[in-house]
Amino acid sequence: MSVPRAEPERPDLTPTGRVILGMLAAGIGTGYDIKQIVDRSTRHFWAASYGQIYPELKRLESAGLVVSRSEPTGGRARQVYGLTPAGRDALEDWLETGDEPLYELRDEGMLKLFFSDFTSPEQRIANLRAMHERAQRKLAALRELDGKGDSGGPGLTLQLGIAITRCYAEWCAEAERRLTDGEDE
Amino acid sequence: MSVPRAEPERPDLTPTGRVILGMLAAGIGTGYDIKQIVDRSTRHFWAASYGQIYPELKRLESAGLVVSRSEPTGGRARQVYGLTPAGRDALEDWLETGDEPLYELRDEGMLKLFFSDFTSPEQRIANLRAMHERAQRKLAALRELDGKGDSGGPGLTLQLGIAITRCYAEWCAEAERRLTDGEDE
DNA sequence: CAGGTCATGTAAAGCGTTACATGATTTT
DNA sequence: AAAATCATGTAACGCTTTACATGACCTG
């Protein structure tokens, strides 16, 4: 007779837990470093703040997915974390699930554009120009980042980020041109 | 002598408050309708749930930015909201501020791609394919929406949404091809 | 008359940022 | 000696979703 299979006990990762496990797998061991690296890499599609990172590291530790050891730098306290086998499993499980991945965008520039019928044509164009400038600044910041030649995960997401930001910027520029020319036809 | 100018009292709108005021300006008057329209229009860059909409309508009313009247449909209760002059001012103020607009993206597909160095090459390709399919579905859904010819705000945001989603989908398709061909060179 | 849509709302929980607090070390 | 960086953490607050609860009206 078939024994009811014990559930593999997949401890569902919180959103911030996901990025933390990944960073630990990459050898980024402290809360501080995770924050630095996130800000220099995943930030444009996945942010994290200290207020989430430190408590989440502790939760992950009490869940047995990570372990920490104290490695002070001189008199400066420092906790270095690493994945346990269970933690690595959880990371791989997450990377392999086909579950509908989370996708959320909140773009106030677009919202203003959406409601721009309630302002003047000039205001709409100004809005578009602001969106364009922002996109260009973001594009410059992304190009500044390392990993151009990187053919691994980080390089791929950087390339995708650059591609969509360029597309966004170009669309804004063109819409701006169209509206400026045909001002009131 | 100069009298200290009274602050124009800009009642700062909460994120959901912004979309609500805009929708009311557009003549969408009930919480229910706002939700329906948001889901059919701004959802891809600005979502809202009932749990936010109804309480926020009340807050806006006690702040004097909107007023409601009861307009039951038969025996079915129904509150219809509209902007007050102060509400219209608040909307226009918001639309005209040059304040750094909020932009937040959370894309789990990209996060998985970022960490795909910790899985197999096949898994990375599967990930890319999943991202591609999702983008295609989204593209189809956007194209389904009305407003193709609309040259106003809603039409513009729809066009931008289509442009970036197409770009996203194409990038995924190309990356997938590249990785499938050069599998292990 | 069952199932869908119209319509409103609340409670709990989860997620997240911001601002603050602390203190050591390193760089200028 | 000041300023920046390394390093950790908490408390308060705000935003949002989810799940639930309720009930009327409409369509097949």
Side-chain angles (χ1 to χ4, degrees):
Chain A
M1 53 205 101
S2 72
V3 175
R5 181 185 297 273
E7 288 295 325
E9 182 78 39
R10 202 186 287 171
D12 49 357
L13 294 177
T14 60
T16 298
R18 311 204 242 273
V19 74
I20 290 179
L21 285 199
M23 288 297 174
L24 294 182
I28 318 292
T30 70
Y32 184 83
D33 286 342
I34 289 173
K35 171 68 169 149
Q36 304 307 307
I37 299 297
V38 162
D39 283 348
R40 285 164 178 68
S41 58
T42 68
R43 197 183 179 292
H44 62 105
F45 60 87
W46 199 278
S49 67
Y50 288 128
Q52 281 291 115
I53 293 169
Y54 285 114
E56 183 63 20
L57 279 168
K58 291 185 173 177
R59 266 193 298 275
L60 290 172
E61 185 158 36
S62 57
L65 302 184
V66 309
V67 275
S68 70
R69 53 191 190 283
S70 184
E71 281 188 13
T73 313
R76 192 154 51 190
R78 188 156 161 274
Q79 285 302 114
V80 180
Y81 289 82
L83 292 180
T84 62
R88 180 156 293 265
D89 284 350
L91 175 62
E92 282 166 16
D93 280 351
W94 167 63
L95 287 171
E96 285 162 20
T97 50
D99 291 3
E100 187 75 344
L102 192 158
Y103 181 92
E104 278 172 23
L105 173 62
R106 205 150 255 241
D107 185 332
E108 193 179 352
M110 282 183 82
L111 190 64
K112 285 183 174 185
L113 184 58
F114 185 86
F115 290 127
S116 61
D117 295 347
F118 306 119
T119 59
S120 63
E122 299 78 43
Q123 185 55 46
R124 171 178 282 162
I125 291 169
N127 191 159
L128 235 15
R129 181 148 42 236
M131 287 169 74
H132 182 212
E133 277 161 15
R134 252 178 82 79
Q136 281 190 146
R137 276 200 303 279
K138 185 176 160 186
L139 194 51
L142 289 176
R143 284 177 168 146
E144 204 82 353
L145 260 37
D146 291 336
K148 312 282 173 66
D150 179 7
S151 64
L156 289 172
T157 52
L158 182 55
Q159 292 308 319
L160 175 52
I162 288 172
I164 61 185
T165 306
R166 187 174 47 215
C167 172
Y168 189 115
E170 281 169 7
W171 185 91
C172 289
E174 207 213 289
E176 204 186 318
R177 239 178 291 125
R178 252 185 300 139
L179 293 185
T180 307
D181 290 351
E183 192 75 66
D184 51 342
E185 108 294 353
Chain B
M1 55 207 98
S2 71
V3 175
R5 181 186 297 275
E7 289 294 327
E9 182 78 37
R10 200 185 289 169
D12 50 358
L13 294 177
T14 60
T16 298
R18 312 204 239 273
V19 75
I20 289 179
L21 285 198
M23 288 297 174
L24 294 182
I28 318 293
T30 70
Y32 185 83
D33 286 342
I34 289 173
K35 171 67 170 150
Q36 304 308 307
I37 299 297
V38 162
D39 283 348
R40 285 165 179 67
S41 58
T42 69
R43 197 184 179 292
H44 62 105
F45 60 87
W46 198 279
S49 67
Y50 287 127
Q52 279 293 114
I53 292 170
Y54 285 114
E56 184 62 20
L57 279 168
K58 291 185 173 177
R59 265 194 299 276
L60 291 172
E61 185 158 35
S62 57
L65 302 184
V66 309
V67 275
S68 69
R69 53 188 190 284
S70 184
E71 280 188 13
T73 312
R76 193 153 52 189
R78 188 156 161 275
Q79 285 302 114
V80 180
Y81 288 83
L83 292 180
T84 62
R88 180 158 292 266
D89 284 351
L91 175 62
E92 281 166 16
D93 281 352
W94 167 63
L95 286 171
E96 284 162 19
T97 51
D99 291 4
E100 187 74 347
L102 193 159
Y103 180 92
E104 279 172 23
L105 173 62
R106 207 151 254 243
D107 185 332
E108 193 178 351
M110 282 182 83
L111 191 64
K112 285 184 175 185
L113 183 58
F114 185 87
F115 291 127
S116 60
D117 295 348
F118 306 119
T119 60
S120 64
E122 299 79 44
Q123 185 56 46
R124 171 178 282 161
I125 291 169
N127 191 158
L128 235 14
R129 181 148 39 236
M131 287 169 74
H132 181 213
E133 277 161 15
R134 251 177 82 79
Q136 282 189 147
R137 276 199 304 278
K138 185 176 160 187
L139 194 51
L142 288 176
R143 285 177 168 145
E144 204 82 356
L145 260 36
D146 291 337
K148 312 284 172 65
D150 179 7
S151 64
L156 289 171
T157 52
L158 182 56
Q159 292 308 319
L160 175 52
I162 288 172
I164 62 185
T165 306
R166 187 173 47 213
C167 172
Y168 190 114
E170 279 168 7
W171 185 91
C172 289
E174 206 213 290
E176 203 186 317
R177 238 177 293 125
R178 253 185 301 139
L179 293 185
T180 307
D181 290 351
E183 192 75 68
D184 51 343
E185 110 291 356

